[in-house]
């Protein structure tokens, strides 16, 4: 059985209002996911209410990767949004708990923006 | 108001087998704020999807976490199967259910042991792990590995369990369950244990939903949500109901897990009773296309795999949101107002799995 | 090495392992394998420890932690890398945030194979490590005392 998984694409400016409505209706934030395209970044916000599953999608250009935070309605989003900042180089505005790039400390900055996974020159121990 | 002190907790701490770091803001003995920081175990395995094809990625998925290894493999496979439009044979679905429930029992027993250790009950810890080893023996006998099963593949399972073996396992499980039943009263009724758990680390129903709690953390706060109700594998053909407790404290979360072990024994019994004969895998052709959120119930709660395929051997995007990631914000709320000695107990009641969380 | 004169204590740290090896390390301590019968116990305090058991590979964020724990341990000390990730990075070798095995940061004395390493293998690795420990102890004793600093 596969539950319906509707995805509604919205503009980033609508995000705070839409999530506030969902929060007031008792939807639970499931996850925030980012997929990198060649010129754009696709963010998917997933919500659950009694096994119903619904998604909001926001597409932002890579050159202007700024989204408003949804922590006003869903405080728990701070973990996901810090992840967006550290791994995807997205600027999240009005973020309630901002680690300022210290949530994940990675070898390469914003690793998901790099084209191909760089293979470290790993050698077997002698 | 007392003096404010910030105490670092972790990443290396006797009660934690894994590195997580918390900055605890204290007023005398009271925790007024807690801020988690992670990243010690971050590997970046989601991007391995670019170098490994969708069949090879099963091995990576199983190694997201060694404790829920089977369910990680299962969730990933179910996602890819949906993208490929493949229906798995019924026998494979039942075998997946049996293995998934075996890993739930081993994971919960592991947790009950670590939890006992967190409040200083060393002998209870040892007893839980003694019982758990017998489950691990069954896992090793049927799957080949103690920790990493390697038995799930896209399109079904890699090996069968014969009906004779299943019958014998049913007998062994009955013996293991009676040993487990001897441990239960200590968690549920022992006065010294209850003093550490009852009324500690409160999380209300509203907070649990608003903060996105999942799994036993959510069900301990009175929300009857268990992703197995979505009906994947064989769960819709078996009789069971999500375990719910309403108190929202450490005790409630413990009771949820204690009762879930019993339920898992029952689910396995039913599955062995009903398992149909037939093939265990179907042939896979083509490449995954489209996008899908695969949701499953792990021992720690709801896990989400987002898979996006573009009709090539490699997935375009493989994203994992694991239960501990979702349970971290609720943890911050639970810790506020508790006393410093209760911190390890509360941290453990979300059953933290850091390697899952950071991937 | 036929018997142990001392009771070596273990410090366990999870580098960036998947937990698989960690639960096997814990399994060594619990009733079925019970390495405590050899006097080996798991301590949380690096200054009490003789054997440093590390699982998983190293990354940017845990390098300073591993170095500090290693430095805090008194001499002589032995490092046992448990599992294939601690040896070389294993299946995660190609990940962007994995630098490789533990030997990229601190010297490793014993490598334990496996994914996940079996408890028998871990015990074997620790016992081999004890041989190294005794040698290091002997070397330390023979060193002129004035250089001890």
């Amino acid at each position: 059985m596969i539950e319906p998984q509707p995805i509604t694409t919205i503009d980033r400016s609508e995000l705070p209002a839409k999530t506030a409505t969902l929060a007031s209706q008792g939807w639970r934030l499931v996850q925030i996911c980012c997929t990198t395209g060649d010129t754009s970044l696709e963010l998917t916000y997933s919500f659950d209410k009694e096994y119903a599953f619904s998604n909001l999608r926001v597409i932002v250009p890579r050159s202007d990767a700024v989204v408003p935070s949804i922590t006003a309605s869903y405080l728990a989003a701070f973990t996901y949004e810090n992840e967006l900042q550290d791994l995807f180089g997205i600027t999240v505005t009005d973020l309630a708990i901002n680690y300022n790039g210290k949530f994940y400390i990675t070898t390469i900055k914003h690793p998901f923006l790099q084209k191909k996974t760089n293979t470290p020159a790993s050698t077997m121990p002698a | 108001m007392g003096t404010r002190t910030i105490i670092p907790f972790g990443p290396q701490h006797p009660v934690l087998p894994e590195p997580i770091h918390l900055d605890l803001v204290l007023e005398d003995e009271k925790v007024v704020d807690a801020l988690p920081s992670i990243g010690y175990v971050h590997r970046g395995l989601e991007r391995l999807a670019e170098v490994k094809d969708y069949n090879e990625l099963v091995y990576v998925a199983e190694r997201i976490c060694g404790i829920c290894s089977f369910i990680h493999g299962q969730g990933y496979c179910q996602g890819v199967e949906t993208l490929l439009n493949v229906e798995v044979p019924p026998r494979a679905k039942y075998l997946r259910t049996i293995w998934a429930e075996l890993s739930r029992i081993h994971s919960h027993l592991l947790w009950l042991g670590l939890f006992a250790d967190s409040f200083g009950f060393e002998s209870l810890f040892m007893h839980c792990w003694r019982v758990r080893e017998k489950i691990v023996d069954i896992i090793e006998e049927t799957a080949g590995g103690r920790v990493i099963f390697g038995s799930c593949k896209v399109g079904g399972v890699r090996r069968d369990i014969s009906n004779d073996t299943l019958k014998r396992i049913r007998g062994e499980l009955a013996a293991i369950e009676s040993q487990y039943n001897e441990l239960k009263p200590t968690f549920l009724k022992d006065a010294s244990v209850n003093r550490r758990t009852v009324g500690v680390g409160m999380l209300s129903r509203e907070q649990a939903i608003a903060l996105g709690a999942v799994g036993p953390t959510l069900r301990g706060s009175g929300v009857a949500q268990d992703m197995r109700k979505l009906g994947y594998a064989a769960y819709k053909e078996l009789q069971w109901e999500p375990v719910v407790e309403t108190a929202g404290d450490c005790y409630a979360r413990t009771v949820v897990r204690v009762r879930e072990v019993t339920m898992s024994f029952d689910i396995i019994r039913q599955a062995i009773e009903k398992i149909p004969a037939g093939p265990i895998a179907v042939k896979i052709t083509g490449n995954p296309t489209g996008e899908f959120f695969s949701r499953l119930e792990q021992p720690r709660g709801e896990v989400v795999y987002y898979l996006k395929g573009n009709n090539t051997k490699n997935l375009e995007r493989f994203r994992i949101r694991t239960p501990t990631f979702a349970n971290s914000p609720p943890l911050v709320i639970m810790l506020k107002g508790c006393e410093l000695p209760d911190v390890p107990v509360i941290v453990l009641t979300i059953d933290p799995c850091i390697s899952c969380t950071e991937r | 090495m036929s018997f142990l004169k001392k009771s070596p204590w273990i410090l366990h740290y999870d580098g960036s392992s998947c937990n698989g090896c960690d639960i096997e390390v814990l399994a060594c301590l619990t009733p079925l394998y019970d390495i405590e019968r050899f006097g080996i116990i798991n301590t949380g305090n690096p200054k009490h420890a003789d054997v440093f058991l590390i699982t998983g590979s190293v990354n940017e964020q845990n390098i300073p932690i591993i170095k500090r724990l290693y430095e805090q341990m008194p001499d002589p000390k032995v490092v046992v890398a448990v599992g294939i990730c601690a040896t070389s990075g294993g299946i995660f070798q190609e990940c962007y945030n994995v630098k490789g095995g533990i030997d990229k940061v601190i010297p490793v004395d014993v490598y334990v194979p496996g994914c996940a390493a079996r408890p028998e293998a871990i015990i074997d690795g620790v016992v081999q490590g004890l041989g190294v420990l005794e040698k290091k102890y002997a070397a330390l004793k023979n060193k002129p005392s004035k250089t001890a600093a």
Side-chain angles (χ1 to χ4, degrees):
Chain A
M1 190 194 84
I2 298 163
E3 75 275 25
Q5 302 187 338
I7 299 174
T8 321
T9 305
I10 58 167
D11 189 76
R12 57 185 154 187
S13 60
E14 297 171 78
L15 199 54
K18 291 261 189 211
T19 49
T21 318
L22 288 170
S24 67
Q25 290 166 352
W27 288 76
R28 173 175 63 85
L29 176 69
V30 174
Q31 62 100 32
I32 303 174
C33 163
C34 179
T35 308
T36 49
D38 289 334
T39 55
S40 61
L41 298 166
E42 179 189 276
L43 282 81
T44 314
Y45 297 70
S46 310
F47 302 89
D48 172 283
K49 190 181 180 184
E50 284 150 22
Y51 304 113
F53 191 68
S54 184
N55 302 283
L56 294 177
R57 176 157 290 169
V58 174
I59 298 171
V60 294
R62 272 194 181 212
S63 52
D64 178 30
V66 183
V67 288
S69 168
I70 62 164
T71 44
S73 333
Y74 289 98
L75 180 63
F78 81 88
T79 48
Y80 301 102
E81 290 181 342
N82 278 293
E83 185 178 271
L84 293 179
Q85 296 203 126
D86 293 1
L87 300 185
F88 297 90
I90 296 171
T91 308
V92 183
T93 53
D94 303 318
L95 183 47
I97 303 171
N98 197 336
Y99 286 76
N100 294 312
K102 298 261 166 66
F103 196 58
Y104 287 100
I105 296 171
T106 49
T107 315
I108 353 168
K109 210 169 184 223
H110 309 146
F112 277 81
L113 292 181
Q114 317 302 325
K115 199 47 211 153
K116 269 278 172 193
T117 317
N118 84 320
T119 311
S122 200
T123 45
M124 289 297 282
Chain B
M1 182 178 130
T3 333
R4 287 207 167 195
T5 325
I6 297 179
I7 292 195
F9 180 83
Q12 191 265 344
H13 187 277
V15 79
L16 299 169
E18 288 185 276
I20 185 172
H21 179 88
L22 289 168
D23 277 323
L24 302 169
V25 183
L26 300 186
E27 259 170 34
D28 298 333
E29 278 286 283
K30 269 223 156 21
V31 177
V32 290
D33 208 356
L35 198 62
S37 58
I38 62 167
Y40 296 98
V41 204
H42 182 61
R43 288 156 284 178
L45 62 85
E46 289 177 354
R47 287 205 77 178
L48 280 181
E50 291 163 12
V51 288
K52 303 212 185 279
D53 74 36
Y54 69 87
N55 281 316
E56 292 170 330
L57 211 55
V58 183
Y59 302 102
V60 179
E62 285 216 315
R63 285 161 178 83
I64 295 168
C65 166
I67 304 178
C68 346
S69 61
F70 182 79
I71 305 184
H72 276 303
Q74 184 190 8
Y76 168 77
C77 289
Q78 286 180 186
V80 176
E81 284 151 10
T82 310
L83 293 184
L84 290 168
N85 248 325
V86 168
E87 182 68 24
V88 174
R91 189 171 177 88
K93 287 186 175 176
Y94 273 82
L95 288 171
R96 282 181 180 181
T97 308
I98 291 168
W99 273 316
E101 291 310 311
L102 282 172
S103 30
R104 196 177 314 275
I105 298 174
H106 110 75
S107 172
H108 278 352
L109 281 169
L110 179 147
W111 177 81
L112 285 167
L114 291 178
F115 186 56
D117 189 41
S118 78
F119 49 74
F121 206 147
E122 193 83 6
S123 55
L124 189 57
F125 168 34
M126 293 297 170
H127 278 298
C128 291
W129 280 61
R130 173 178 56 80
V131 178
R132 175 183 165 269
E133 282 291 341
K134 296 186 165 41
I135 298 286
V136 177
D137 284 346
I138 296 178
I139 293 173
E140 186 176 5
E141 185 194 339
T142 54
R146 284 169 50 90
V147 173
I148 306 287
F149 289 54
S151 50
C152 214
K153 68 171 181 181
V154 177
V157 290
R158 208 163 256 122
R159 69 189 91 207
D160 203 353
I161 312 178
S162 75
N163 285 344
D164 290 342
T165 314
L166 283 173
K167 272 213 190 75
R168 204 191 68 238
I169 287 173
R170 190 174 55 187
E172 283 170 15
L173 284 174
I176 299 170
E177 192 177 359
S178 73
Q179 289 188 17
Y180 167 70
N181 286 339
E182 288 170 20
L183 299 175
K184 260 161 67 172
T186 318
F187 285 102
L188 301 179
K189 296 196 187 112
D190 187 273
S192 62
V193 174
N194 290 356
R195 273 191 69 163
R196 297 300 307 271
T197 55
V198 176
V200 177
M202 297 299 290
L203 185 75
S204 73
R205 188 192 153 90
E206 290 68 33
Q207 284 171 329
I209 296 173
L211 293 167
V214 295
T217 311
L218 184 66
R219 292 194 287 279
S221 294
V223 183
Q225 198 184 44
D226 188 319
M227 288 305 141
R228 285 174 283 177
K229 276 284 167 213
L230 288 175
Y232 62 87
Y235 289 111
K236 63 174 176 292
E237 292 158 35
L238 306 171
Q239 296 296 315
W240 63 279
E241 280 307 318
V243 174
V244 195
E245 289 290 323
T246 50
D249 55 2
C250 289
Y251 181 72
R253 292 187 282 277
T254 311
V255 177
V256 168
R257 293 190 180 95
V258 167
R259 288 173 51 198
E260 276 187 0
V261 176
T262 307
M263 191 173 86
S264 292
F265 276 117
D266 188 51
I267 292 177
I268 298 174
R269 234 181 335 258
Q270 290 183 44
I272 291 177
E273 207 73 54
K274 284 179 128 173
I275 189 165
I280 54 163
V282 287
K283 204 172 150 35
I284 295 297
T285 48
N287 291 320
T289 335
E291 54 185 325
F292 181 63
F293 292 91
S294 174
R295 295 199 291 165
L296 283 86
E297 187 74 18
Q298 271 190 349
R300 286 156 188 76
E302 173 202 47
V303 60
V304 184
Y305 307 87
Y306 171 66
L307 307 162
K308 188 173 188 180
N310 50 5
N311 205 14
T312 59
K313 280 250 167 253
N314 297 84
L315 288 171
E316 190 183 333
R317 178 84 169 99
F318 174 42
R319 191 253 197 274
I320 313 135
R321 198 281 278 136
T322 56
T324 307
F325 200 92
N327 280 332
S328 302
L331 174 65
V332 173
I333 300 299
M334 288 176 212
L335 286 172
K336 277 184 188 168
C338 81
E339 289 184 341
L340 183 60
D342 286 331
V343 170
V345 176
I346 298 174
V347 170
L348 272 176
T349 55
I350 70 159
D351 198 353
C353 178
I354 311 303
S355 69
C356 279
T357 310
E358 305 184 6
R359 311 169 303 277
Chain C
M1 190 193 63
S2 53
F3 69 98
L4 302 174
K5 297 195 195 84
K6 303 229 161 54
S7 296
W9 285 16
I10 285 176
L11 176 72
H12 167 226
Y13 184 75
D14 169 349
S16 57
S17 104
C18 76
N19 257 344
C21 296
D22 303 287
I23 56 179
E24 295 296 54
V25 168
L26 277 176
C28 293
L29 301 161
T30 52
L32 186 68
Y33 296 98
D34 192 20
I35 50 170
E36 209 167 323
R37 66 203 148 114
F38 304 125
I40 302 173
I41 66 167
N42 188 15
T43 171
N45 189 333
K47 296 195 177 183
H48 294 175
D50 307 288
V51 181
F52 193 9
L53 218 60
I54 315 185
T55 54
S57 48
V58 297
N59 64 30
E60 200 67 36
Q61 199 158 346
N62 68 28
I63 285 174
I65 315 278
I66 293 173
K67 277 192 179 150
R68 196 178 317 134
L69 289 171
Y70 182 74
E71 280 157 15
Q72 283 175 335
M73 285 172 63
D75 280 322
K77 54 196 163 192
V78 163
V79 177
V80 180
V82 176
I84 192 67
C85 294
T87 305
S88 68
I91 193 168
F92 302 118
Q93 209 175 66
E94 291 162 297
C95 290
Y96 59 80
N97 209 37
V98 170
K99 288 213 146 175
I102 303 298
D103 50 9
K104 294 253 188 291
V105 189
I106 54 172
V108 174
D109 299 289
V110 183
Y111 297 92
V112 177
C115 177
R118 293 183 59 89
E120 291 92 337
I122 297 173
I123 295 173
D124 196 38
V126 171
V127 171
Q128 282 191 33
L130 296 180
V132 180
L133 193 68
E134 298 218 336
K135 275 190 203 135
K136 284 190 178 179
Y137 183 61
L140 206 67
K141 267 199 350 207
N142 295 333
K143 232 162 79 179
S145 58
K146 61 177 190 304
T147 54

